[in-house]
Amino acid sequence: MAEKPSVLRETDDEARKLARVLLRSARHAAVAVLEPGGSGFPFVSRVLTGTDVDGVPVVLVSALSTHTQALCADGRCSLLSGDVGKGDPLAHARLTVQCEAKQVERDTPLHARIRERFLRRHPKAQLYADFPDFSFFRLTPVRASLNGGFGRAYVIDGADLIIHSPAIDELAAMEARAIEHMNSDHADAADRYAQVHCKAKGTGWRICGLDAAGVDLVNGDQSKRLEYDLPLQSQGELRPLLVKLYG
Amino acid sequence: MAEKPSVLRETDDEARKLARVLLRSARHAAVAVLEPGGSGFPFVSRVLTGTDVDGVPVVLVSALSTHTQALCADGRCSLLSGDVGKGDPLAHARLTVQCEAKQVERDTPLHARIRERFLRRHPKAQLYADFPDFSFFRLTPVRASLNGGFGRAYVIDGADLIIHSPAIDELAAMEARAIEHMNSDHADAADRYAQVHCKAKGTGWRICGLDAAGVDLVNGDQSKRLEYDLPLQSQGELRPLLVKLYG
């Protein structure tokens, strides 16, 4: 939760990185919208989440749902991500991101790209992703509040949750092939990345996303985000970095 | 999520009971509010939740937090409860309750009652519950949307989430003693209630609430709600019902 300046900590790179990891590793989130119909009453529900190649969160929602009708009427929304885990629910880090939502038009390269990335993260969504009432929205971060646990509150700029790199497009163009190569020819890499860099346990991890700022990893119900220290500036930096991270 | 009438199921007693159990067994929830300052932007964060003796959800929040400042400016809010569990996050039942929040005045019998019940559910909250910046809010349900899983959406009346019984006050007056008696003299009852009536596993369960509509059970991070088929109409009905449920 955001708190008064008096109790806010100074936002540093560690806080920004934690915020990015919370947002980009999320499989689902609570989304707050304004109830459609003009009442202005807040409404919160659960949605599946993914990210676009620029780190902007995306959701796949049904036109029959209140949140979708709300987003079509007023794109202002708020996402809460961060798992509760064991112990006190408030002791675990969570991120509130206030966003402007924009529906993704079907039969466009943008839709195809987002759909492909989303379905790699949520394979079961293939069952309904193409239903006529379902659509993707990009939720562009405006500002965010990170709560790293009791008394550890930070304000995060929306821009700090968006990937800025000249390599975004060229990496997007090769993402699917690179992921297939890694998961088939270097199957142990995903486990290594998850265990060594994401404090994950067990094996069976697979890469589901490779963008300019990091690696998305999934394993059944679990998902992790390996966030690079700095975004890649060119496609050519990907391979050596993946080798280096493998160790 | 609420859905159009065309896809809504007819609300039956089973749906109402599931909604009550989701709300009353929750340890935490996502709360959506309107960002303070008049922007009207929705904001969502995580809060600890409990219930008052009439089933109305309560939250313990800090005046330093955005959600508290928001609730003081505009009491309209929305709670999302229901754990995600394993598998597809959208396959698990969750409840959205739109509420009107009202701050609970300190040094009143109402505050003492709510505080006592809340701390039985969240013992660790004793560390900060009495800090001057913390306060309780009652969140009176106005209307709710139950999503029992894919394609199982129901609209729930706010009144169906509030306990209506002439026995509420007399039960509240004896609640603490009855709980102490059950947990000390019939220590196995809580395990039995949790296992037989709430599909809970393991032992170590304790009763933390006894109201006119059911039993609140906690065990470390877990909490369960044993919801009676019908609310008690008199204090005298409690003991025989607890014996009957013990089997």
Side-chain angles (χ1 to χ4, degrees), chain B residues 5-230:
Chain B
S6 62
V7 296
L8 276 176
R9 295 210 178 177
E10 181 154 357
T11 304
D12 53 18
D13 287 344
E14 188 184 349
R16 292 185 192 93
K17 185 172 182 176
L18 175 57
R20 293 183 189 117
V21 169
L22 284 169
L23 182 61
R24 296 169 188 170
S25 64
R27 295 178 65 238
H28 60 87
V31 61
V33 296
L34 298 176
E35 181 179 50
S39 75
F41 210 115
F43 184 92
V44 59
S45 52
R46 185 169 295 150
V47 288
L48 289 187
T49 56
T51 60
D52 197 357
V53 294
D54 58 357
V56 166
V58 299
V59 295
L60 174 62
V61 290
S62 164
L64 302 176
S65 69
T66 299
H67 49 239
T68 306
Q69 293 161 26
L71 293 177
C72 289
D74 188 332
R76 295 178 298 170
C77 60
S78 184
L79 283 180
L80 174 66
S81 58
D83 293 335
V84 171
K86 295 188 174 180
D88 191 324
L90 300 188
H92 298 273
R94 61 272 187 193
L95 181 73
T96 298
V97 188
Q98 289 174 270
C99 309
E100 290 282 354
K102 189 155 184 283
Q103 193 161 14
V104 177
E105 203 179 327
R106 284 200 179 221
D107 307 319
T108 61
L110 175 62
H111 185 277
R113 178 180 81 200
I114 288 174
R115 178 183 179 281
E116 181 182 291
R117 300 193 94 236
F118 194 90
L119 293 184
R120 270 200 306 263
R121 181 180 293 230
H122 300 287
K124 289 177 186 165
Q126 289 183 29
L127 294 172
Y128 52 86
D130 298 327
F131 287 177
D133 60 300
F134 275 82
S135 58
F136 289 101
F137 283 74
R138 266 172 58 95
L139 275 48
T140 302
V142 176
R143 55 187 175 276
S145 307
L146 168 67
N147 189 315
F150 290 111
R152 298 185 50 225
Y154 307 83
V155 168
I156 306 289
D157 292 339
D160 288 330
L161 298 175
I162 299 172
I163 300 169
H164 306 281
S165 161
I168 288 176
D169 292 340
E170 55 182 10
L171 282 164
M174 66 176 288
E175 182 180 16
R177 292 196 315 280
I179 290 172
E180 190 183 348
H181 167 66
M182 291 298 293
N183 285 335
S184 56
D185 302 344
H186 307 286
D188 62 328
D191 286 340
R192 190 103 164 229
Y193 294 152
Q195 294 161 2
V196 175
H197 301 285
C198 305
K199 299 176 184 164
K201 294 196 174 76
T203 57
W205 288 88
R206 292 179 63 79
I207 295 172
C208 71
L210 281 174
D211 57 54
V215 182
D216 296 322
L217 298 151
V218 289
N219 188 7
D221 297 346
Q222 307 175 79
S223 62
K224 293 286 184 181
R225 171 71 176 181
L226 194 175
E227 185 78 11
Y228 305 144
D229 293 331
L230 292 171

Side-chain angles (χ1 to χ4, degrees), chain A residues 54-91:
Chain A
D54 58 357
V56 166
V58 298
V59 296
L60 173 63
V61 291
S62 164
L64 302 175
S65 68
T66 298
H67 49 239
T68 305
Q69 293 160 27
L71 292 176
C72 289
D74 188 331
R76 294 177 298 170
C77 59
S78 184
L79 284 180
L80 174 65
S81 58
D83 293 336
V84 171
K86 294 187 173 180
D88 190 321
L90 300 189

Side-chain angles (χ1 to χ4, degrees), chain A residues 121-205:
Chain A
R121 181 180 294 231
H122 300 287
K124 290 176 184 166
Q126 289 183 27
L127 295 170
Y128 52 87
D130 297 327
F131 286 178
D133 60 302
F134 274 83
S135 56
F136 289 100
F137 284 74
R138 267 172 58 96
L139 275 48
T140 302
V142 177
R143 55 187 174 277
S145 307
L146 168 67
N147 188 316
F150 291 109
R152 298 186 49 223
Y154 306 83
V155 168
I156 306 289
D157 291 339
D160 288 328
L161 298 175
I162 298 172
I163 300 168
H164 306 281
S165 162
I168 287 177
D169 292 340
E170 55 183 11
L171 282 164
M174 66 176 285
E175 181 180 16
R177 291 196 315 279
I179 290 172
E180 190 183 348
H181 167 68
M182 291 298 294
N183 286 333
S184 56
D185 303 342
H186 307 286
D188 62 328
D191 285 339
R192 190 104 165 230
Y193 294 151
Q195 294 161 2
V196 175
H197 301 285
C198 305
K199 299 176 186 164
K201 294 197 176 75
T203 58
W205 288 89

Side-chain angles (χ1 to χ4, degrees), chain A residues 5 12 24 38 43 83 96 98 115 137 139 159 161 192 214 240:
Chain A
D12 53 18
R24 296 169 187 171
F43 185 91
D83 293 336
T96 298
Q98 290 174 269
R115 177 183 180 282
F137 284 74
L139 275 48
L161 298 175
R192 190 104 165 230

